[in-house]
Amino acid sequence: MNKVIFVFVLALSLVYQSFAQSENPNEIFEDDPIGRSAPNTITTAVPFLMIAPDSRAGGMGDAGAATSPDVNSMHWNPSKYMFCENEMGVAISYTPWLRQLVPDMNIGHIVGYYKLDAENTLAASLTYFSLGSITFTDIVGSTIRDFTPNEFSIDFAYSRLLGKKFSGAVAVRYIHSNLTGGISNSGAESHPGNSVAADVAFFYKSDNIKLAGMNSNLMWGLNISNIGNKMSYTSNDLRYFLPTNFRMGIAYSLELDEYNKLMLTVDMNKLLVPTPPVYRKDTAGWVYDDNGNYVIDYGKDPNISVPAALFSSWTDAPGTNSPFAQDGSPSVFREEFAEIQWSIGLEYWYSNVFALRAGYFNEHQYKGNRKYFSMGAGLKLNVFGLDFAYLIPTSQQHPLQNTLRFTLTFDIAGLNEEGS
């Protein structure tokens, strides 16, 4: 047991040292000739699709692309379902949101899967985000009506075994976002946003690898999620990208002995949507071209199609074609690299019954500045399991700070066995 505690504390210290950074928001861009003094954050429609819905991954710094498969794999990597130990399962998660400010914002998530046979699995989920009650008023402050904005997504996934150690999956998602309740603004009528998106995912899990006489497994996962048409909320031509995301991770699990198991995992995430460019501005204000469009000084035009954004988003940051990037210098990709979010997580299981988790999430100061530690615990019995997660921000306020999240999982096959 002392060995387990030592390894756990050592890994946590490595997490901190790997991600600790200066709080200077221009640390990477201190010699950027563009002279930007504000963060260049990428924004999209329906960001709730990127919120970790389950407490297991939430306790490991929001890492889940390559972790051992479980019922909540839909959000992280649906191809993992082929390697689930049980034939079917269901999970329910609840996440309070901004609980320090309002009492009625929350995210609910229900997911389930069923193995058709040894090579095919189906899964489905529902995520519902309630933004609480809001009172709409007119220009003089008179009450128009009360409204409860809400968003939800319905997902279906098909996973198939592509080899003894390799699986793939596709998922489709219907997204509904009702934020205004039909209120008109500046002559433009608003309406709920609707879209359809797809995921493509892959997962690899090695056979047992011997390390110093102990069994271990190496796992790798990739998920490109939310590939779909842009979303509109008004009758004008304004349309917003979905949070199309590239997620890749690697995990290594080690059976220390008959009762103790440890897993370390690392994820990287990058939004595959355009980075806002830097527009030209002079003493008279913004500069326009002959067609009435803003003139771009650095970066690329963000008004492109979704397929084009999947590729151009890797090279469109303003820093990549500024005077700072010359002669093929590695600094060409500095801002693109800053757009990658990193998650690292650690999970310890005792006798496959009790789990402890910890992790860290890092987002560059220039791209949102979300940095936080997380911790969690889990209990798994024959029929059900219960997981908790808690988040500790290190750089700024976070909607989930001082909030306890929980996930309840059910092994349907085990429930049938108990009943018989």
Side-chain angles (χ1 to χ4, degrees):
M1 195 63 187
N2 290 335
K3 177 172 66 175
V4 173
I5 295 175
F6 172 76
V7 173
F8 195 78
V9 173
L10 176 62
L12 284 180
S13 65
L14 291 175
V15 168
Y16 178 78
Q17 293 175 23
S18 298
F19 288 97
Q21 294 186 12
S22 167
E23 292 304 312
N24 174 15
N26 294 312
E27 178 183 7
I28 285 183
F29 305 94
E30 58 187 5
D31 49 355
D32 185 356
I34 297 176
R36 293 165 292 182
S37 59
N40 192 23
T41 306
I42 300 175
T43 58
T44 68
V46 290
F48 82 97
L49 293 177
M50 298 298 295
I51 300 173
D54 66 295
S55 300
R56 183 195 178 203
M60 292 189 287
D62 292 352
T67 52
S68 54
D70 65 3
V71 64
N72 290 293
S73 297
M74 175 70 85
H75 176 84
W76 305 102
N77 186 343
S79 61
K80 295 196 298 182
Y81 281 122
M82 280 312 310
F83 292 91
C84 285
E85 296 179 356
N86 302 321
E87 179 183 0
M88 66 180 78
V90 175
I92 301 173
S93 300
Y94 175 77
T95 301
W97 193 253
L98 280 175
R99 193 45 52 94
Q100 289 187 313
L101 298 179
V102 293
D104 55 355
M105 291 182 65
N106 56 78
I107 302 172
H109 181 72
I110 181 169
V111 60
Y113 76 92
Y114 174 69
K115 284 190 174 182
L116 300 175
D117 51 42
E119 296 183 348
N120 303 277
T121 300
L122 295 178
S125 69
L126 167 67
T127 303
Y128 183 83
F129 185 20
S130 173
L131 281 75
S133 180
I134 296 176
T135 300
F136 287 107
T137 61
D138 58 21
I139 194 171
V140 297
S142 300
T143 299
I144 300 177
R145 66 185 178 94
D146 292 331
F147 178 65
T148 302
N150 62 86
E151 300 176 306
F152 68 83
S153 68
I154 302 174
D155 309 350
F156 296 95
Y158 168 68
S159 177
R160 179 173 176 79
L161 198 66
L162 302 177
K164 183 179 179 182
K165 307 174 185 179
F166 189 63
S167 63
V170 292
V172 292
R173 175 172 302 108
Y174 168 69
I175 308 162
H176 178 84
S177 176
N178 189 2
L179 301 179
T180 64
I183 295 295
S184 297
N185 182 30
S186 301
E189 295 184 0
S190 67
H191 57 78
N194 295 280
S195 185
V196 176
D199 300 356
V200 179
F202 299 96
F203 180 69
Y204 169 84
K205 182 180 180 182
S206 69
D207 291 332
N208 284 334
I209 303 171
K210 289 293 184 179
L211 179 66
M214 297 180 288
N215 292 328
S216 64
N217 279 292
L218 180 66
M219 296 168 285
W220 170 88
L222 169 68
N223 184 19
I224 303 177
S225 59
N226 303 317
I227 308 170
N229 56 300
K230 299 178 185 179
M231 181 171 286
S232 173
Y233 292 94
T234 61
S235 56
N236 56 30
D237 293 332
L238 284 177
R239 300 180 67 84
Y240 304 91
F241 279 92
L242 300 180
T244 306
N245 183 67
F246 177 93
R247 182 191 307 277
M248 185 170 66
I250 188 169
Y252 185 76
S253 64
L254 181 66
E255 295 181 10
L256 302 175
D257 54 39
E258 182 180 359
Y259 299 101
N260 300 286
K261 185 187 302 182
L262 200 64
M263 182 185 69
L264 179 66
T265 184
V266 178
D267 270 18
M268 61 163 285
N269 290 271
K270 188 184 186 306
L271 286 172
L272 303 183
V273 298
T275 302
V278 174
Y279 295 99
R280 183 173 302 173
K281 193 174 185 180
D282 57 22
T283 55
W286 299 110
V287 178
Y288 300 88
D289 61 19
D290 295 337
N291 297 320
N293 300 316
Y294 292 113
V295 174
I296 297 175
D297 261 346
Y298 304 105
K300 297 181 181 180
D301 186 358
N303 298 311
I304 58 177
S305 66
V306 171
L310 295 177
F311 300 96
S312 66
S313 58
W314 296 93
T315 59
D316 66 351
T320 61
N321 52 358
S322 69
F324 184 53
Q326 296 178 351
D327 303 324
S329 167
S331 59
V332 168
F333 299 102
R334 281 181 125 179
E335 186 167 349
E336 289 293 346
F337 186 79
E339 291 179 357
I340 298 176
Q341 303 161 3
W342 297 94
S343 300
I344 183 167
L346 186 69
E347 181 180 59
Y348 162 72
W349 276 98
Y350 176 74
S351 193
N352 287 325
V353 174
F354 177 71
L356 290 175
R357 305 181 182 103
Y360 188 74
F361 179 93
N362 182 82
E363 181 179 59
H364 192 269
Q365 296 93 329
Y366 202 78
K367 297 296 178 177
N369 200 30
R370 290 178 298 163
K371 304 175 190 293
Y372 51 82
F373 285 101
S374 65
M375 60 183 65
L379 178 66
K380 183 168 67 175
L381 302 177
N382 290 336
V383 176
F384 73 92
L386 188 60
D387 296 300
F388 297 94
Y390 191 81
L391 184 148
I392 306 171
T394 61
S395 62
Q396 63 181 8
Q397 301 293 311
H398 192 282
L400 288 173
Q401 68 182 55
N402 302 324
T403 298
L404 191 66
R405 293 179 281 173
F406 71 87
T407 298
L408 186 62
T409 62
F410 297 92
D411 173 14
I412 305 300
L415 186 61
N416 292 335
E417 294 176 1
E418 289 286 332
S420 61

